[in-house]
Amino acid sequence: MSINLKNKKEIVKKYGANEKDTGSAAVQIAMMSKKIAELTEHLKTNQKDFATKRGLLMLVGKRKRLLAYVKNQNLDEYRDLIKKLKIRG
C-alpha cells in the first residue's frame, strides 16, 4: 500500500528539479497526493479503519499547508502544480 521506490523516483523525476530533489515543496506535495489517493482507496473498502482515516486527514492538512506555502512563494508554480496533480476541481 505504501509508495515504493520506483514510484518515488518517477515522482521526483517529474516534479523535482533533478533526480536528487526530494525535499522541494512540489515533490512533497506530489508524494502526499499519491499517498492520499492510496489511503482513499483503502478507506473505500475499510470504512471502520479510523486510524487510517485520522492519518488521511492529517496528511490532507499537511498538503494544504504546503500548497499555501507554494502559493505565497510562486503563484505560477502553484497553478501549474494544481493542474498537473488535478487537485481542486
Side-chain angles (χ1 to χ4, degrees), residues 33-87:
S33 296
K34 176 80 172 156
K35 185 74 173 171
I36 287 170
E38 290 177 358
L39 290 176
T40 303
E41 288 300 315
H42 171 77
L43 282 172
K44 286 180 182 176
T45 58
N46 303 290
Q47 291 93 7
K48 294 189 178 190
D49 189 354
F50 298 111
T52 299
K53 185 174 182 180
R54 180 177 184 271
L56 173 66
L57 292 174
M58 289 175 26
L59 201 58
V60 168
K62 189 180 285 191
R63 183 181 72 175
K64 183 178 177 182
R65 289 190 301 272
L66 266 174
L67 281 168
Y69 170 76
V70 172
K71 185 176 181 181
N72 288 335
Q73 296 297 317
N74 188 349
L75 190 60
D76 293 331
E77 181 183 351
Y78 168 78
R79 289 180 179 154
D80 186 44
L81 192 58
I82 292 296
K83 193 182 297 183
K84 280 183 182 178
L85 292 173
K86 298 175 183 154
I87 305 174

